Each structure stands twice: as structure tokens, then as C-alpha cells.
Amino acid sequence: EIVLTQSPATLSLSPGERATLSCRASQSVGSFLAWYQQKPGQVPRLLIYEASTRATGIPARFSGSGSGTDFTLTISSLEPEDSAVYFCQNRSNWPKTFGQGTKVEIK
Amino acid sequence: EVQLLESGGGLVQPGGSLRLSCVASGFAFNNFAMTWVRQAPGKGLEWIAEIRATGSVTYYADSVKGRLTISRDNSKNTLYLELDSLRADDTAVYYCAKDHKVSVSGVLRGHYYGLDVWGQGTTVTVS
């Protein structure tokens, strides 16, 4: 089973700042990693797939990078509505595990 | 509109059973793999099961293998999850989700590209 480790656990930043979230896999997933956003009381939403491709309707301030075992989700300029928990997911093989999440707080 | 609607959650005693349903609409259900993901109160997301479009192949997380069964009825556009021998740590919101497909060399392919549509979830409480 591939274990995904996300860091930091919590990120507290001001509007307009850049957020950098990390997801590290215990073994290579190639480029097959997805990112999701979950706002309080809402269902998860697909942000990024194949490490760097934005899903339909996702603002350009969200970008993903990485391959193999190290991945990054970057929010270039935080908006108040970006307050959420962000999860990465292994899409390479089964079980398609999730990371434990990074909570982004807007000051 | 593409939509997934779960039902069947509720309060059940330890050792009991439950059957969750997820009705799909707005897309060709029989062309997509489907997944169940759960989220315990205040916790993260846990991938628990996936079923191929035809229903011929299933995959499970080790934590639920032998106790949970995923199935589908493509004639009814419905995904199911049978939960048996329920334990307190099965308490969670259970989401069904649809595979995202991407055009690769002119052919729509799934598996690798995330879960693009989620239901609103159904709550299972084991107590």
C-alpha cells in the first residue's frame, strides 16, 4: 500500500499570500496523483489530476507539480474562499489511498 | 446535470449490517468505474472500494476487506455498498464518487485521473 504524507498539517496565511502544500508518497506513483479541496460541511472537489492538470472550472491560481514521490499544490494568491482542507490521492494503483490532509486557514 | 444521490445510512448496532445505495443520473453510468470513500467524524478521507464499469472487477481497502461488498446494477444506474459485521470505527459519512475520464489519443480513459463527481454522502453510525 502506498502511504501519502502531507505537510504541513495546518497552514495559516493572509489573503494574497502564496500557499505551498506538500504530498510525499512512500513509493513512486509516476504522475498519477490527484488533489481535492474540501470546505467545511461540503463534499470534496477535484482540483488537480495527473499531478498538474486543473480540473474543469478550477481557477488558475491553483497549480500542481511533481512526479514520482514528491508533489506540490500551490495556491498562488490566497482568496478567503480557499479556506479548506486539501487532500492528495494516489491514482496509480490500488488501494487508491489519500493523504491525511492539510488545513489551510486564512488569517 | 451529473448527480449522485446516496441513501441507506442510519444507526446500527455493532455486528449489524446495512446496505447503502447511490443512484446516478446525468451521465452514462455503465461507462464509468465507481468508488466509495468514507470520512469518520473530524477525520480525513479514506478510500474503501472501487468497482469497474462492467462490475466484473472490484477492489477493496484492507481495512474493510471481507466485511464490505461493492456492487452495481447498471440497468438501474445504481451503485451499492453492503456493510457487514459493523464496528464502531465504521462510523462515518460514506460518499460515492465517479471516475474522471480523460481523452488519451482519442480514447476516453479512466483510473488515473481522479474522482470528479461526488454524492452528498450518507451517514452510518455504529453504536
Side-chain angles (χ1 to χ4, degrees):
Chain A
E1 172 176 317
I2 293 175
V3 176
L4 298 179
T5 303
Q6 293 188 239
S7 62
T10 303
L11 203 50
S12 184
L13 295 168
S14 299
E17 288 194 298
R18 182 184 193 90
T20 303
L21 288 65
S22 172
C23 176
R24 179 162 289 178
S26 59
Q27 61 190 81
S28 177
V29 299
S31 62
F32 301 120
L33 187 103
W35 290 93
Y36 302 85
Q37 176 194 63
Q38 187 178 30
K39 296 181 180 181
Q42 295 188 19
V43 303
R45 176 173 71 148
L46 178 65
L47 291 179
I48 301 282
Y49 61 89
E50 211 172 0
S52 61
T53 304
R54 277 190 303 277
T56 303
I58 302 304
R61 65 180 182 274
F62 292 92
S63 64
S65 63
S67 66
T69 60
D70 289 299
F71 299 87
T72 300
L73 175 69
T74 301
I75 311 172
S76 60
S77 179
L78 278 166
E79 301 280 348
E81 62 264 30
D82 298 334
S83 178
V85 181
Y86 294 83
F87 296 95
C88 57
Q89 186 195 19
N90 151 45
R91 296 297 302 180
S92 174
N93 53 21
W94 296 273
K96 293 181 180 174
T97 46
F98 287 92
Q100 81 280 15
T102 290
K103 184 177 184 179
V104 173
E105 297 177 340
I106 310 297
K107 291 179 182 176
Chain B
E1 183 189 2
V2 177
Q3 202 168 2
L4 298 170
L5 188 62
E6 301 100 333
S7 62
L11 175 64
V12 60
Q13 293 184 339
S17 299
L18 215 51
R19 188 197 204 196
L20 308 182
S21 299
C22 168
V23 177
S25 59
F27 67 98
F29 179 72
N30 61 347
N31 284 347
F32 290 86
M34 297 293 295
T35 294
W36 286 98
V37 175
R38 69 183 181 184
Q39 187 168 34
K43 303 296 184 183
L45 302 174
E46 182 185 12
W47 180 94
I48 53 174
E50 180 180 326
I51 187 167
R52 292 273 184 94
T54 60
S56 59
V57 183
T58 57
Y59 305 90
Y60 295 95
D62 286 344
S63 61
V64 304
K65 204 172 290 185
R67 299 188 304 114
L68 272 60
T69 304
I70 188 172
S71 62
R72 66 193 295 162
D73 185 339
N74 285 346
S75 69
K76 296 182 178 179
N77 285 354
T78 303
L79 175 73
Y80 301 101
L81 186 68
E82 301 267 2
L83 300 90
D84 297 312
S85 304
L86 282 163
R87 313 185 301 223
D89 63 358
D90 293 315
T91 294
V93 176
Y94 285 73
Y95 296 103
C96 62
K98 166 189 163 290
D99 233 34
H100 180 53
K101 282 193 172 182
V102 171
S103 180
V104 179
S105 301
V107 179
L108 284 178
R109 299 196 181 279
H111 171 53
Y112 295 112
Y113 308 112
L115 302 169
D116 63 354
V117 180
W118 295 63
Q120 86 292 346
T122 188
T123 301
V124 173
T125 303
V126 184
S127 176

